[in-house]
Amino acid sequence: DVVLTQTPVSLSVTLGDQASISCRSSQSLVYSDGNTYLKWYLQKPGQSPQLLIYEVSNRFSGVPDRFIGSGSGTDFTLKISRVEPEDLGVYYCFQATHDPPTFGGGTKLELK
Amino acid sequence: EVQLVETGGGLVQPGNSLKLSCATSGFTFSTAWMNWIRQTPGKRLEWLAQIEDKSNNYFISYLESVKGRFTISRDDSKSSVYLQMNNLKEEDTAIYYCTWAGLYWGQGVMVTVSS
């Protein structure tokens, strides 16, 4: 199975700072159709995960433009510019290029 | 508004069975690919199963470790998806979520397997 390694495991930030989370895959996530099926989710405390980014860099409906996904092949990054209180929680990357689909271990974003 | 509501969780003894249901609304269920995903007590997320739509012959795929014990199904007339779980083990203890292709998730339902 594809292993997604997220770093850091936890990240302490000041409101208004930029945050950056890395997701590294054990295999290339480029599918045979040329697309890369890498998503990012945020799970706020007490809630279900919510989709932020799909196919590496596309923001889902209603997601603010301070969330920026990038990367290719095996290395991906989620950047959050100007962290706001509602951005706190656990971030997960997820790949659906290879079977079975797998999640990263999560990165907890908290206030310094 | 898209809604997914899971029901059917609870406390069961090892070896017993449980059937989870997920009732949906707010989107065209008949063309939706539906998934079940669980979150362990340690917060690890694990994809379990997917069922595609009629145009894809309701193709089903499973995580290898639950194949043969878990069965995903759907009823397009009720806009619902199900997860039948047999021979439950303590390591199946988790919150179970249904999702519409990973885009929208239900609130989850707790399943505890313990004697």
Side-chain angles (χ1 to χ4, degrees):
Chain A
D1 296 0
V2 171
V3 176
L4 298 179
T5 303
Q6 287 184 235
T7 55
V9 172
S10 65
L11 187 54
S12 296
V13 297
T14 301
L15 294 179
D17 279 357
Q18 175 177 278
S20 182
I21 300 169
S22 170
C23 176
R24 181 161 291 176
S25 173
S26 60
Q27 299 179 36
S28 171
L29 297 185
V30 180
Y31 189 57
S32 55
D33 64 4
N35 292 321
T36 299
Y37 295 102
L38 188 283
K39 291 183 169 81
W40 288 96
Y41 291 94
L42 164 60
Q43 186 172 31
K44 298 180 183 181
Q47 296 185 18
S48 311
Q50 58 188 79
L51 179 62
L52 298 173
I53 301 286
Y54 64 96
E55 291 176 25
V56 180
S57 59
N58 298 285
R59 276 183 294 274
F60 190 52
S61 174
V63 175
D65 59 8
R66 62 179 182 275
F67 289 93
I68 301 168
S70 63
S72 62
T74 61
D75 289 314
F76 304 92
T77 301
L78 177 68
K79 282 189 167 61
I80 312 157
S81 61
R82 308 180 308 279
V83 170
E84 299 192 6
E86 60 265 33
D87 301 338
L88 302 180
V90 182
Y91 289 80
Y92 295 93
C93 56
F94 168 79
Q95 70 80 24
T97 296
H98 300 283
D99 284 325
T102 51
F103 288 87
T107 295
K108 186 174 186 178
L109 184 67
E110 53 193 2
L111 284 180
K112 194 175 289 183
Chain B
E1 180 193 6
V2 173
Q3 288 196 326
L4 301 95
V5 179
E6 303 95 337
T7 56
L11 172 64
V12 293
Q13 292 188 330
N16 282 2
S17 299
L18 207 57
K19 185 173 185 177
L20 306 182
S21 299
C22 174
T24 75
S25 61
F27 61 101
T28 306
F29 182 83
S30 61
T31 60
W33 293 20
M34 301 299 296
N35 296 266
W36 285 96
I37 292 169
R38 68 186 177 188
Q39 187 164 37
T40 67
K43 302 299 184 186
R44 179 173 57 90
L45 288 165
E46 189 171 48
W47 174 92
L48 297 173
Q50 176 173 275
I51 185 165
E52 299 180 17
D53 65 340
K54 184 176 182 179
S55 71
N56 288 285
N57 296 315
Y58 300 118
F59 182 79
I60 288 172
S61 49
Y62 294 102
L63 183 67
E64 195 63 34
S65 61
V66 304
K67 201 178 288 187
R69 294 194 302 126
F70 290 10
T71 302
I72 189 172
S73 61
R74 63 190 292 160
D75 185 336
D76 289 350
S77 69
K78 295 182 179 178
S79 297
S80 293
V81 63
Y82 308 96
L83 187 68
Q84 174 70 46
M85 303 186 293
N86 297 331
N87 189 22
L88 283 161
K89 306 175 181 181
E90 290 188 353
E91 53 265 38
D92 294 318
T93 294
I95 297 172
Y96 285 72
Y97 297 100
C98 72
T99 90
W100 166 27
L103 303 177
Y104 294 92
W105 297 47
Q107 85 288 350
V109 64
M110 185 71 207
V111 172
T112 303
V113 184
S114 175
S115 54

